Amino acid sequence: MKVTEMLLTSGNTHGRTGTKLVPKGIVVHYVGNPGSSAVGNRNWFENGAGGAYTSAHYIIGLDGEIILCVPEYECAQHAGKSYAPQYDAQAKKNNSMYIGIENCHPNADGKFNDKTYASLVALCADICIHHGFDVQKDVVRHYDVTGKMCPMYYVKNSNEWESFKKDIQVKVDERNKPENVKFDLFHANQVVINGFIKDGTTYVEARDLLEKMGFNVGWDAVNKMVMVNK
């Protein structure tokens, strides 16, 4: 899964306030602009979103491309109901809890095409594994936290939404098989180490971790000790 970093400029007018986020779940959106591109929607956020000053952490395009607009540990402005002042408190609460993913769609019904859908499943699985989210409880629609008809197709077709979450769970379960687990310490494709999950506990290989941190690991046969040197 490839993620392209195109971070929004810092500042409220770009939907990026810099407020710290401790994520507790994922909110899935649709862009509501049939046929538009991920880059186009990202630039719309950058340019003030028509005065709404909204944003999302990720945007997934029609070819399955994934753009990172706001780092996961910063609040994005994505989970309100409208621009009206009476919804400000609700939006602030939601934005302080959720990672937001906007999705492009080819038609007015809002259904994601196969490429967008596949990338969304993979991205949600990755985020759930990294943050320890429960797929069934912590992956929600914009509709679920505000009542807004977003993502519209998956609000009108709740069975499709449930199928979507099942697909995420399949991906999570596959990734959590001991032979497939790899951990990204900084969630930025910088350091990946081998590991596995057993009885709900995550284990990593100490030698692999130490070597990735720049240490040399060896065996002292005389004293029967593991030696770790910088």
Side-chain angles (χ1 to χ4, degrees):
M1 182 184 68
K2 179 182 178 181
V3 177
T4 300
E5 186 175 290
M6 296 181 65
L7 297 179
L8 300 174
T9 302
S10 296
N12 187 55
T13 57
H14 306 290
R16 188 179 173 194
T17 65
T19 305
K20 183 179 178 181
L21 171 65
V22 180
K24 293 184 169 49
I26 302 168
V27 172
V28 175
H29 304 262
Y30 85 131
V31 298
N33 187 11
S36 61
S37 68
V39 171
N41 282 283
R42 180 265 173 204
N43 291 341
W44 188 70
F45 289 148
E46 174 72 14
N47 294 324
Y53 307 144
T54 56
S55 61
H57 293 90
Y58 295 95
I59 304 174
I60 302 179
L62 297 174
D63 289 324
E65 70 274 26
I66 304 173
I67 295 176
L68 175 66
C69 300
V70 178
E72 285 186 12
Y73 292 100
E74 287 184 26
C75 291
Q77 307 297 96
H78 64 97
K81 185 174 182 180
S82 75
Y83 311 145
Q86 62 264 36
Y87 296 110
D88 286 351
Q90 180 190 54
K92 185 176 181 180
K93 178 181 178 181
N94 290 335
N95 292 333
S96 71
M97 296 173 60
Y98 292 109
I99 293 169
I101 306 175
E102 289 278 1
N103 294 274
C104 296
H105 47 95
N107 302 311
D109 65 0
K111 184 177 182 180
F112 308 148
N113 69 23
D114 291 345
K115 292 180 180 180
T116 303
Y117 185 91
S119 290
L120 177 60
V121 168
L123 179 59
C124 285
D126 183 76
I127 294 171
C128 285
I129 291 169
H130 176 69
H131 294 286
F133 293 159
D134 183 313
V135 174
Q136 291 303 316
K137 295 179 181 178
D138 300 329
V139 181
V140 299
R141 300 166 295 186
H142 194 182
Y143 171 80
D144 297 317
V145 294
T146 65
K148 185 175 181 179
M149 293 292 287
C150 173
M152 186 170 66
Y153 179 82
Y154 299 91
V155 175
K156 291 183 175 181
N157 299 274
S158 58
N159 59 320
E160 294 289 340
W161 176 252
E162 293 305 318
S163 293
F164 164 68
K165 290 198 291 184
K166 288 179 181 178
D167 288 342
I168 299 173
Q169 190 64 59
V170 168
K171 184 74 70 173
V172 168
D173 292 343
E174 176 64 26
R175 288 269 303 276
N176 278 340
K177 289 181 179 179
E179 64 270 25
N180 293 333
V181 174
K182 289 184 181 295
F183 296 93
D184 179 351
L185 292 183
F186 304 108
H187 202 47
N189 297 318
Q190 294 178 342
V191 179
V192 179
I193 58 177
N194 294 318
F196 61 93
I197 296 174
K198 181 179 180 181
D199 298 328
T201 300
T202 300
Y203 297 87
V204 297
E205 296 177 12
R207 179 171 191 152
D208 192 26
L209 173 60
L210 289 165
E211 289 179 345
K212 291 291 174 59
M213 295 173 67
F215 291 91
N216 294 316
V217 181
W219 175 248
D220 182 342
V222 175
N223 296 304
K224 299 187 183 304
M225 297 174 61
V226 175
M227 303 299 294
V228 180
N229 301 297
K230 187 69 173 175

